[in-house]
Amino acid sequence: MHPSRHNRALFVLLALSFLLSACLIQSRERFWLDPPGWSRAQFLGITESTRRVPMTLDPEGNLYAGFFSLGETGGMSLMKFTSDGELDWRVTESQSRFATGRNLELAWHNGSLLAIWIDSGDLLSATIQADNGELGPFSILVEDLQIKDISVADSDEDKLVIAFSGSADEPGIYLLQGSNLTTPVLIDPQGVRPQLVIDAYSSLHAAWIYQPAVLQDAQLRYAVFPEMVVQENPQITQFVTLYRTSDVIEGPFLGVDLTHVYLGDTAMIRTGLREGQIETSYRAFPLWDPLAASVPVRLFMPMDYEIFYTEPSPPTGLQVGPRADWDGLSLNTDQIVEVVATGTSRSEVALAFHERVDSLSGQTQAQIGLLTMQVGKPDGYQLISFTSTGSKQPNLLVSQDGYVFLSWLEVTDVRTYSVYLATTKPGLKTEFDALTMQDWQNMIGDLTFGMLSGLVLFPVVLLWMIPPLLLMALLSVIRRNEDRLTRPGHLISLLVALAVFQYLKFGIFPSLRASIPFIQWLPIIPGSWYRPLQITVPIAIVLLSGVIAMNMVRKRGQSSPTVLFILYALIDGVLTLAIYGGSLFGM
């Protein structure tokens, strides 16, 4: 084989290998998020559990996360990231010890990191060695009670409170506190699904759903325990709701900042005129004054995936980077579920949720959104995930300095999920944003596959070519008896045809005007390049297509403006579809 042909064949094989390997990778090592303040999403592993992935921080800023993993070597997966973003350790305890484990939580107690989970209805815990991830012997905190849900809250004073409840058939809200965590306190015999938050003033806030023993409407309940002193028969605030026994209630969610409490839930309507609706609402009230709560406010979110992040994080708010101005958004979907909130020592709280968003394919897809709230109302929004597989079950963690950590699940298969983590913390963000060899492989594969996919739309080039060709036929009268391309008649008809071609291209598909070239495949393009690329790439396509078409005409000794235009249009169409094909698919 000739050396040049050998090199070309080698290049093609290399490109195809990149393309194939990129297409076969189900779970990306890291993928980019749209909000500019966030790191890339870090892949943590595969799970069969649909529960939220817990996270916690130590005083040095190291991050710990865990989940029940998958496979023959599966079990409880635990990992630690240093404050600089390096993976310090990762361990997976054997599946045999956690065959039915679920509802994993991580918390600090008596100076040690605890894993707390439910197994066969019992509440268990084990100490995790923070320096190497070794899991100690587990102990049963509560048994002989079919526990279904748990929530934990710990404070900087190393105080830990665990809330747990039974099922709808065996309800009851219990709180565990103290050095040994051995004496549960019953605070509501008919409660289910507790949520706990500790505020900046060391008070414990609790919310749960009151589930009557008979067929009566469920209620949303709330209590606060100053200085985290738990006692029986607390002062409970019961909020009037419009739920019916046929409604499916999800939640509650509970967030607390320096001045306000945000309390809400989700109702899925199954009967009546509102059948099929999802109603997620919240109440806000000042700390210590639940009787001053606002009326329930329904949450609606944007369905559009094109979000413009223009509002900076407030100095005393959460450090999530630029967010979209809430007042400027089109709120057109109520498909909001799996809401989780957090407690903060800042002037804002954050809500993360699973929402339905338009996708590039013209369908809607489950994504993760983030809403910041301040002084009792929303003030900013970010669309965190924008993937083709679907995202669900977010979880939030906020550091003392206001940086946010977010974990969630991406649908991988029918029964499995990829676990991802992203953050706005500078040290971890720098490490997560660093490019790896797999990143380059993915980008080359995506770019190749994307450009080939764009060419599938090649027949639309005819839509841009036919009208200019008809116009050239009508203008043939002005170039009669002219046999050179430089003649005025040729130039006029050719320039008119080219102008109409460009007008039709951008007129039929206006998304081309707004698209950022290559952004569908290369999300690392800096924002400052967006506008220059929008201007220079279309100009480059015109010039390159013209040069190639002219050279082809000259080599063949052609002088027909029609032939020149056809060659130009075909080359321009191929380049346009290769670069902008993803935008056209979105249309």
Side-chain angles (χ1 to χ4, degrees):
M1 181 181 293
H2 192 276
S4 62
R5 293 180 180 178
H6 177 78
N7 292 336
R8 285 197 296 268
L10 183 62
F11 175 79
V12 170
L13 289 175
L14 183 61
L16 289 175
S17 67
F18 269 107
L19 174 61
L20 180 61
S21 60
C23 294
L24 291 177
I25 294 171
Q26 288 187 330
S27 298
R28 293 299 178 92
E29 178 188 21
R30 300 172 186 175
F31 65 84
W32 297 89
L33 305 181
D34 189 44
W38 284 84
S39 74
R40 298 168 65 197
Q42 176 79 29
F43 174 67
L44 301 185
I46 301 290
T47 181
E48 286 184 327
S49 173
T50 57
R51 302 286 178 169
R52 294 186 174 109
V53 174
M55 300 169 288
T56 190
L57 293 165
D58 64 18
E60 288 73 39
N62 301 311
L63 175 70
Y64 303 82
F67 56 91
F68 289 106
S69 58
L70 174 71
E72 296 179 357
T73 60
M76 184 187 292
S77 287
L78 302 167
M79 62 213 69
K80 174 185 177 182
F81 292 93
T82 68
S83 58
D84 294 329
E86 296 284 348
L87 181 62
D88 190 17
W89 50 255
R90 180 190 183 110
V91 298
T92 301
E93 296 292 332
S94 65
Q95 181 70 48
S96 60
R97 296 181 61 188
F98 311 101
T100 58
R102 60 185 181 87
N103 291 67
L104 177 64
E105 298 284 352
L106 301 176
W108 293 91
H109 184 56
N110 294 333
S112 298
L113 179 61
L114 288 186
I116 305 164
W117 71 97
I118 300 172
D119 195 319
S120 301
D122 298 331
L123 183 62
L124 283 68
S125 72
T127 301
I128 303 171
Q129 296 295 326
D131 57 347
N132 59 16
E134 182 180 347
L135 194 69
F138 64 85
S139 59
I140 301 177
L141 298 179
V142 179
E143 57 183 338
D144 300 327
L145 179 65
Q146 287 299 305
I147 298 173
K148 185 178 180 181
D149 294 294
I150 58 175
S151 178
V152 303
D154 55 5
S155 69
D156 292 338
E157 291 80 20
D158 209 18
K159 295 180 180 180
L160 170 67
V161 181
I162 304 173
F164 63 89
S165 70
S167 63
D169 296 329
E170 298 180 274
I173 298 292
Y174 298 84
L175 298 183
L176 271 177
Q177 191 186 39
S179 58
N180 297 321
L181 300 173
T182 55
T183 307
V185 176
L186 177 65
I187 63 171
D188 188 341
Q190 296 299 135
V192 294
R193 298 201 299 275
Q195 288 294 317
L196 298 180
V197 169
I198 297 174
D199 65 23
Y201 312 103
S202 297
S203 291
L204 177 70
H205 301 258
W208 63 94
I209 300 295
Y210 172 72
Q211 186 71 55
V214 296
L215 292 178
Q216 299 177 3
D217 294 344
Q219 299 289 335
L220 180 61
R221 288 189 165 184
Y222 165 83
V224 60
F225 302 89
E227 298 181 359
M228 298 179 62
V229 177
V230 174
Q231 74 279 350
E232 295 182 349
N233 303 316
Q235 182 67 40
I236 294 176
T237 302
Q238 180 167 292
F239 293 98
V240 176
T241 62
L242 300 177
Y243 302 145
R244 295 173 294 184
T245 55
S246 60
D247 296 342
V248 177
I249 304 171
E250 184 182 88
F253 57 88
L254 176 64
V256 181
D257 61 21
L258 284 175
T259 61
H260 282 75
V261 175
Y262 303 83
L263 176 61
D265 50 22
T266 300
M268 303 177 187
I269 313 300
R270 293 299 177 90
T271 60
L273 297 177
R274 297 181 297 155
E275 181 181 0
Q277 290 187 6
I278 296 176
E279 298 184 358
T280 297
S281 59
Y282 74 93
R283 297 166 172 83
F285 53 88
L287 286 175
W288 322 113
D289 194 5
L291 296 180
S294 63
V295 297
V297 179
R298 281 191 66 185
L299 280 175
F300 293 85
M301 294 295 159
M303 201 172 222
D304 193 359
Y305 58 84
E306 293 183 332
I307 305 297
F308 300 98
Y309 303 105
T310 57
E311 297 297 312
S313 296
T316 60
L318 298 177
Q319 303 304 308
V320 296
R323 72 278 297 271
D325 181 15
W326 180 253
D327 294 331
L329 294 172
S330 295
L331 307 177
N332 45 20
T333 178
D334 61 356
Q335 303 294 298
I336 306 159
V337 295
E338 299 173 356
V339 184
V340 60
T342 184
T344 76
S345 58
R346 316 288 289 185
S347 63
E348 286 185 317
V349 298
L351 272 63
F353 41 84
H354 157 165
E355 60 174 325
R356 303 296 299 186
V357 177
D358 287 338
S359 68
L360 288 172
S361 62
Q363 306 296 318
T364 62
Q365 186 59 272
Q367 308 294 355
I368 302 300
L370 187 82
L371 178 66
T372 53
M373 307 185 76
Q374 187 172 160
V375 197
K377 61 182 181 180
D379 69 337
Y381 168 82
Q382 293 173 320
L383 178 61
I384 300 297
S385 70
F386 188 62
T387 64
S388 60
T389 57
S391 311
K392 62 184 301 179
Q393 289 296 355
N395 200 16
L396 281 171
L397 176 67
V398 178
S399 65
Q400 286 293 320
D401 46 4
Y403 294 102
V404 181
F405 301 82
L406 179 65
S407 62
W408 71 93
L409 307 179
E410 289 284 330
V411 178
T412 303
D413 206 338
V414 177
R415 295 182 54 194
T416 61
Y417 306 89
S418 298
V419 182
Y420 282 96
L421 165 72
T423 182
T424 62
K425 185 74 172 177
L428 277 82
K429 183 178 184 302
T430 300
E431 179 64 24
F432 289 178
D433 286 348
L435 291 173
T436 66
M437 180 58 68
Q438 184 178 326
D439 292 328
W440 286 109
Q441 180 176 326
N442 288 337
M443 285 189 292
I444 293 173
D446 287 345
L447 182 62
T448 307
F449 182 75
M451 296 181 76
L452 292 176
S453 298
L455 296 179
V456 174
L457 289 174
F458 186 75
V460 304
V461 176
L462 297 177
L463 296 176
W464 307 334
M465 290 177 60
I466 293 175
L469 285 173
L470 293 175
L471 187 59
M472 291 187 74
L474 293 175
L475 293 175
S476 62
V477 65
I478 67 172
R479 62 174 192 269
R480 183 176 298 172
N481 300 323
E482 294 182 357
D483 58 357
R484 295 175 60 188
L485 286 174
T486 55
R487 296 292 186 179
H490 282 293
L491 290 177
I492 293 173
S493 63
L494 184 59
L495 291 176
V496 170
L498 292 175
V500 172
F501 177 84
Q502 296 297 330
Y503 175 79
L504 290 174
K505 185 171 68 174
F506 288 102
I508 295 176
F509 298 104
S511 62
L512 296 181
R513 296 195 301 267
S515 293
I516 312 299
F518 308 109
I519 195 65
Q520 289 92 354
W521 316 296
L522 301 177
I524 61 172
I525 298 174
S528 59
W529 291 18
Y530 287 0
R531 190 59 181 164
L533 284 174
Q534 285 179 308
I535 297 172
T536 58
V537 170
I539 295 175
I541 291 175
V542 171
L543 296 177
L544 182 60
S545 302
V547 170
I548 295 175
M550 285 294 297
N551 285 334
M552 293 176 68
V553 167
R554 287 173 179 171
K555 286 182 179 180
R556 288 165 174 77
Q558 293 282 348
S559 60
S560 169
T562 303
V563 173
L564 177 59
F565 171 77
I566 291 174
L567 289 173
Y568 169 85
L570 292 174
I571 298 168
D572 185 294
V574 168
L575 294 175
T576 299
L577 292 174
I579 294 174
Y580 294 97
S583 299
L584 301 185
F585 276 121
M587 288 295 293

